[in-house]
Amino acid sequence: MKNKNFTYLIGAILLLLGTSVSVSAQNFGTGTGWGNIGFSMPLVVDDDFQDYEFHYSWDNPDHGNSQHLLDEASGEIILGYIELTNTFNFPNSSANCIFDFYQCAFAPNFQTAYAYKNALENTANVSDGFVEISRSDSVYYERYGGVAPTVRGYFTIDLRQLATLEGIQYTHSSTGGTKRGFVLEYSKDDGTTWDTLRYQPGNTYSESYSLSDLFTYDTIYNDYNCDPSSYGMVWEDPIYEYDTGVMLRFLESSGQTVRIHDFKAYGELPSSAVLNRTSSDLILSIVDNKVSFKESANVQVYNLSGSLVRSNMNVRSISLNNFSKGIYLINAEAKGKVCSQKIVIR
């Protein structure tokens, strides 16, 4: 918050001095971009939503809003959204991922709205095809006799069966207009409660923020303006969740629809034998890459490929400060007690 206020203060001072200034050069960019974080884990989900059956009530992507379409001649209402659940396995694994679409429309071959309208290409890395999430709309509800959406639609991604979720990449666009954002939420308690991972409002971009990751929960305010959303925007967020399963949920923001064109997830599959260990309260604390135990223990440390990288006998603590950046699994045993714990080295 201090950084954002400082930016505003500098801007105000320069304006008083007669100097023009923009809040941030990234206001008119196309999102965070991909590749800045440098995920090290495998790509376990990669979907451009081009394999879904077309279900859209308009004939071009410059309209929509996932609303129903009234055929004036026949009086027939053409449904603009559906509910759909898609369950699929992660690569080379029996564990699965679940996409749950509530009040969503699908246009597998459509470009972004303005790319279609102006005969141009989407923003780089934004695929043709999308899932569109409906918004609540009382006007359509009254006009179409109570069949338009009156609650927010959503797109939920269930990644709880991953052993580790390192991070995600995704793209979004809007329905014909610009400055339209989205909300990305996460849940670590099986969908009982939801918190915000990224908030990108359409017109009030000074309020936009994200978490640095789910490991630190630090909030980062940003100046990303969704002004080019009609051509598509590209986003990347770290997660670093290595203990509790995560669910994600896309929603509209500020009463605007949102279209998700791509979704990628990087993580660890639950296939390594070293993960199948029972847990206990043997570990006392993990502070600054130092792991302390409640009593002397035999300790093994494995990397993500399952290779043993360290082994110590009868110790009360170990330091991992000399380890390379990444995620490791610590197995400890003491007097019949067994403990397994993952740790992130940054």
Side-chain angles (χ1 to χ4, degrees), residues 264-326:
K264 302 175 185 290
Y266 296 83
E268 174 194 16
L269 299 172
S271 57
S272 177
V274 299
L275 296 177
N276 299 322
R277 303 294 297 273
T278 58
S279 59
S280 71
D281 58 356
L282 182 59
I283 289 181
L284 179 65
S285 65
I286 302 177
V287 179
D288 295 330
N289 298 336
K290 181 180 179 180
V291 185
S292 300
F293 306 94
K294 291 184 178 180
E295 55 188 290
S296 296
N298 300 328
V299 182
Q300 296 84 37
V301 182
Y302 297 86
N303 61 22
L304 286 181
S305 65
S307 299
L308 180 66
V309 294
R310 180 169 178 174
S311 179
N312 293 93
M313 303 295 289
N314 199 33
V315 294
R316 290 295 301 270
S317 66
I318 58 172
S319 174
L320 305 180
N321 281 329
N322 61 336
F323 278 48
S324 301
K325 174 182 175 181

Side-chain angles (χ1 to χ4, degrees), residues 50-65:
Q50 294 180 353
D51 294 329
Y52 290 79
E53 184 176 353
F54 183 92
H55 186 96
Y56 209 72
S57 57
W58 299 83
D59 60 359
N60 70 64
D62 199 28
H63 298 89
N65 296 343

